[in-house]
Amino acid sequence: MAAAPYRVVRSWWRQQRLGQAVRRRFCTGGQTSVPLNIPLPSVPQPIYAKATGSETYDTSITTLENGLRVSSQHKFGKFCTVGILVNAGSRYEAKYPSGLSHFLEKLAFSSTSKFGSRDEILTMLEQHGGICDCQTSRDTTMYAVSADSAGLEAVVDLLAEVVLKPRLADEEVDATRMIIGFELEDLNMRPDPEAILTEMIHAAAFRENTVGLSRYCPRENLPLIGSEALRGFLRNHYTPDRVVLAGVGVKHDHLVEAAQRYLVGAQPSWGLSPPTEVDCSTAQYSGGEVREVKDMSDVSPSPTPIPELAHVVIGLESCSFLEDDFVPFAVLNMLMGGGGSFSAGGPGKGMFTRLYLNVLNRYHWMYSTTSYHYSYEDTGLFCIHASADPNQVRDMTEIVTREFVLMGENVGEVELERAKTQLRSMLMMNLESRPVVFEDVGRQVLATGKRKLPHELCSMIAGVTAQDIRRVAQRMLRSKPAVAALGDLSELPPYEDIQQALTSHDGRLPRVFRLFR
């Protein structure tokens, strides 16, 4: 054992002597090293691959005879991501008991006419190294499978079964009802109330219409939803003209052939009766306020207590993702940035965004402040979420309103270029992931019938100017604010004061004089 270090040193010394001998052999003029720009003698010249001009990175789109659209994006690799996106979500539940989309999300990849149970589906996916997932949003339901590209036929067959032929057995619906009940309890017990606040700010901004409807099933609706109500929703919204089959890492012709075989002419489990007209109402931004007083002093699940916080979200109407102003709003969101007061990292974490420099670095009592931008096909919502000790809520609200007003003033060239660079970087890094590319392809084709490629989006981002940022910010400030608040709200200013602050020149709340505080 003692000789082992000696053998290691001797081996390393021999490698160094051999390297020196090779360099001396190939060097001229007694030099001991070769410049990297001089090719070594006796070494074959490399042959580089050249683009022939036939390669394309465009997204291929085909519309089948029944109206269903098939889109694919070429991507090198052995695995693929294939899925079905449906233009259906909680915003379309106006004529039904709300919560149907939430039920369908939990029931996805359950038993079908061909597969007797979820276990059979998972067993089949294991044969192709696959995984599956279903996600619903306010306007889209997405079924996705990632698997070996050789199993494309089996994957499309499975997706057709899951989307068009679910059994929706009573025992499965009952189990889903229990799962959703547990999820609703978990949402109220989480230390981070972001999901609840997202629902509250949408409810305040779009009161009782379209995207303002809750994405989660209300507890009082759990016993009202059964298999018949679910089939009725599927019959009306899961029609071919509202469906896109998207794939990444597959050959487009093979995907179209599979779609023709399994998705055209298939008889759905809810029958062939004609659907009723779908409510396609345009979202109506209303503004307003949603407050919920809640004891947040004991939300910590660990022995280390989390400080009691009050949360306030202020939002203003922005634009849809179909408008030209969508890209300037995305740059503005990146410029504002923000995060938690204990975030660590360099510029890539957003430490030089406005909400860090102007808020978190100046007010030590602020726990977090972050900007968000929600955009839909017909509307959008730009908001800032801040949290602090309940005694500081009024000061925190004024800081947020001041930041909103400052958006409409001068924008520095350095911070603008940093925000655009960071947005382009985030876009390109996210598109390295195959599931993200799949979702991007599917959502764009579902909404517009085509897809803007990454280099087009980067060009649009690069073209955003400081004048564009000021223009969209001033447009946003003309709308009525939406306010959502959760926690101890004894110090939260009235809604009218917040509205007045956003229309003032400096964003300050009206002064309040008190004899006793």
Side-chain angles (χ1 to χ4, degrees), residues 62 64 70 245 251-261:
T62 300
L64 305 182
V70 181
L245 172 66
K251 293 183 178 180
H252 186 70
D253 293 341
H254 293 175
L255 187 61
V256 172
E257 292 174 3
Q260 291 277 10
R261 185 175 297 110

Coordinates of all heavy atoms in Angstrom, one line a residue, residues 62 64 70 245 251-261:
T62 N -49.9 21.1 -40.0 CA -50.9 20.5 -40.9 C -52.3 20.5 -40.3 O -52.4 20.2 -39.1 CB -50.5 19.1 -41.3 OG1 -49.2 19.1 -41.9 CG2 -51.5 18.5 -42.2
L64 N -55.9 18.8 -40.4 CA -56.6 17.7 -40.9 C -58.0 18.0 -41.4 O -58.5 19.1 -41.1 CB -56.6 16.6 -39.9 CG -55.2 16.2 -39.3 CD1 -55.4 15.1 -38.3 CD2 -54.3 15.8 -40.4
V70 N -52.1 19.7 -36.5 CA -50.9 18.9 -36.1 C -49.7 19.7 -36.3 O -49.5 20.2 -37.4 CB -50.8 17.6 -36.9 CG1 -49.6 16.8 -36.5 CG2 -52.1 16.7 -36.8
L245 N -52.5 18.8 -31.8 CA -51.6 17.7 -31.5 C -50.2 18.2 -31.8 O -49.9 18.5 -33.0 CB -51.9 16.4 -32.3 CG -50.9 15.3 -32.2 CD1 -50.8 14.7 -30.7 CD2 -51.1 14.2 -33.2
K251 N -40.7 13.1 -36.5 CA -40.9 13.5 -37.9 C -42.3 13.9 -38.1 O -43.3 13.2 -37.7 CB -40.5 12.3 -38.8 CG -39.0 12.0 -38.7 CD -38.6 10.9 -39.7 CE -37.1 10.6 -39.7 NZ -36.7 9.6 -40.6
H252 N -42.5 15.0 -38.8 CA -43.8 15.5 -39.0 C -44.8 14.6 -39.7 O -45.9 14.4 -39.4 CB -43.8 16.9 -39.7 CG -45.1 17.6 -39.8 ND1 -45.7 18.1 -38.7 CD2 -45.9 17.8 -40.9 CE1 -46.9 18.7 -39.1 NE2 -47.0 18.5 -40.4
D253 N -44.3 13.9 -40.8 CA -45.1 13.0 -41.6 C -45.6 11.8 -40.7 O -46.7 11.4 -40.8 CB -44.3 12.5 -42.8 CG -44.0 13.6 -43.8 OD1 -44.7 14.6 -43.7 OD2 -43.1 13.4 -44.6
H254 N -44.7 11.3 -39.8 CA -45.1 10.2 -39.0 C -46.2 10.7 -38.0 O -47.1 9.9 -37.7 CB -43.9 9.7 -38.2 CG -42.9 9.0 -39.1 ND1 -41.7 8.5 -38.7 CD2 -43.0 8.7 -40.4 CE1 -41.1 7.9 -39.7 NE2 -41.8 8.0 -40.8
L255 N -46.0 11.9 -37.5 CA -47.0 12.4 -36.5 C -48.4 12.6 -37.2 O -49.4 12.3 -36.6 CB -46.5 13.7 -35.9 CG -47.3 14.3 -34.8 CD1 -47.4 13.4 -33.6 CD2 -46.8 15.7 -34.3
V256 N -48.4 13.1 -38.4 CA -49.6 13.3 -39.2 C -50.3 12.0 -39.4 O -51.5 11.8 -39.3 CB -49.4 14.1 -40.5 CG1 -50.6 14.1 -41.3 CG2 -48.9 15.5 -40.2
E257 N -49.5 11.0 -39.8 CA -50.1 9.6 -40.1 C -50.7 9.1 -38.8 O -51.8 8.5 -38.9 CB -49.0 8.7 -40.6 CG -48.4 9.1 -42.0 CD -47.3 8.2 -42.4 OE1 -46.9 7.3 -41.6 OE2 -46.7 8.4 -43.5
A258 N -50.0 9.2 -37.7 CA -50.6 8.7 -36.4 C -51.8 9.4 -36.1 O -52.8 8.9 -35.5 CB -49.5 8.8 -35.3
A259 N -51.9 10.8 -36.3 CA -53.1 11.5 -36.0 C -54.2 11.1 -36.9 O -55.4 11.0 -36.4 CB -52.8 13.0 -36.2
Q260 N -54.0 10.8 -38.2 CA -55.0 10.3 -39.1 C -55.5 9.0 -38.6 O -56.8 8.7 -38.7 CB -54.4 10.2 -40.5 CG -54.1 11.5 -41.2 CD -55.3 12.1 -41.8 OE1 -56.4 11.7 -41.6 NE2 -55.1 13.1 -42.6
R261 N -54.7 8.2 -38.1 CA -55.1 6.8 -37.7 C -55.9 6.8 -36.4 O -56.9 6.1 -36.2 CB -53.9 5.9 -37.5 CG -54.2 4.4 -37.2 CD -52.9 3.6 -37.2 NE -52.3 3.6 -38.5 CZ -51.1 4.2 -38.8 NH1 -50.5 4.8 -37.8 NH2 -50.6 4.1 -40.0

